[in-house]
Amino acid sequence: KNLETVLRALVQTKNVHLLVAGRTRDNYYERLAADLGVEKKVTFLGFRTDIPQILANSDIFVFPSRYEACSISILEAVAAGLPIVTSAAAGGCEIAALAGGTVLESSENVEELSRAIQDLADNDGARQMIKEQSSMIAKRFSWSSIIDNYSQILSKFE
C-alpha cells in the first residue's frame, strides 16, 4: 500500500526503524531499500499472523495508501493505540484523524510523509496523547458499543 513512498520517506528520517508486515513482490522493495541506502532501517517480516503483537510493540503506524475503500488495518492501529500517518485516499482516515492521527492530502508527497513520521518519532508526549485518544475512539467502535447502538435504534421500532 504505497510502500515505495514510505521507503523514500525513510531516507529523510533519523532514529526510525520500519517494520513491514505482509508479502512483498519479488523482493522489489528489499532491492529498493538497498538502492536508497535504508536497508538497515527496515525489517521485512513477511506474512504474519501475530499483527496485534506487532502493533503492540510499535510506536507509529504508517499507511499512506493511494486508495483503500475501508482499511481494517487503520482500525487495528487505532485499537492498538498507535499514532497513524495515512493519506486522505485511505478509507478510515476519518477515524485516524479523530484519534489524533495525521492525514496527508497526497499519498505521494515524500517530504510531507517523512516530516509527519519524524515529528511523531521525536515527540513522546504527542504519541502518548494520541494513544489515549485512540483508546477512547476504539471504545466507540467496539463490538459492545455497536451492539448497544443497534439495540437502541431497534428498540424505537418495538
Side-chain angles (χ1 to χ4, degrees):
K1 306 293 179 162
N2 200 10
L3 182 55
E4 185 172 328
T5 301
V6 177
L7 291 173
R8 292 184 187 289
L10 199 59
V11 171
Q12 300 175 29
T13 64
K14 292 184 171 90
N15 301 317
V16 172
H17 190 88
L18 177 68
L19 300 176
V20 178
R23 291 188 182 99
T24 56
R25 59 182 152 97
D26 302 326
N27 296 324
Y28 167 77
Y29 295 109
E30 292 165 8
R31 285 193 311 276
L32 178 61
D35 290 347
L36 294 170
V38 296
E39 67 275 11
K40 292 183 178 173
K41 295 171 78 172
V42 60
T43 301
F44 293 93
L45 301 172
F47 177 78
R48 299 295 290 259
T49 59
D50 59 341
I51 297 301
Q53 291 82 9
I54 293 169
L55 292 174
N57 290 301
S58 299
D59 295 317
I60 303 166
F61 183 77
V62 180
F63 189 76
S65 182
R66 291 181 176 111
Y67 173 77
E68 193 76 24
C70 179
S71 174
I72 297 298
S73 58
I74 287 178
L75 299 177
E76 291 171 332
V78 168
L82 289 174
I84 298 168
V85 178
T86 190
S87 69
C93 67
E94 302 86 359
I95 294 172
L98 281 174
T102 302
V103 179
L104 307 172
E105 261 321 293
S106 169
S107 60
E108 305 301 319
N109 190 323
V110 172
E111 291 76 22
E112 190 178 22
L113 178 60
S114 64
R115 191 171 37 256
I117 293 168
Q118 193 67 61
D119 287 349
L120 284 168
D122 291 342
N123 194 331
D124 293 338
R127 289 195 319 271
Q128 183 58 38
M129 183 185 74
I130 290 170
K131 183 177 183 95
E132 292 166 11
Q133 282 180 267
S134 292
S135 178
M136 290 186 293
I137 297 299
K139 287 177 186 172
R140 284 180 47 195
F141 292 98
S142 70
W143 283 114
S144 59
S145 291
I146 291 170
I147 290 169
D148 288 345
N149 289 339
Y150 277 121
S151 294
Q152 289 175 11
I153 292 167
L154 293 173
S155 70
K156 294 177 183 178
F157 295 102
E158 291 180 347

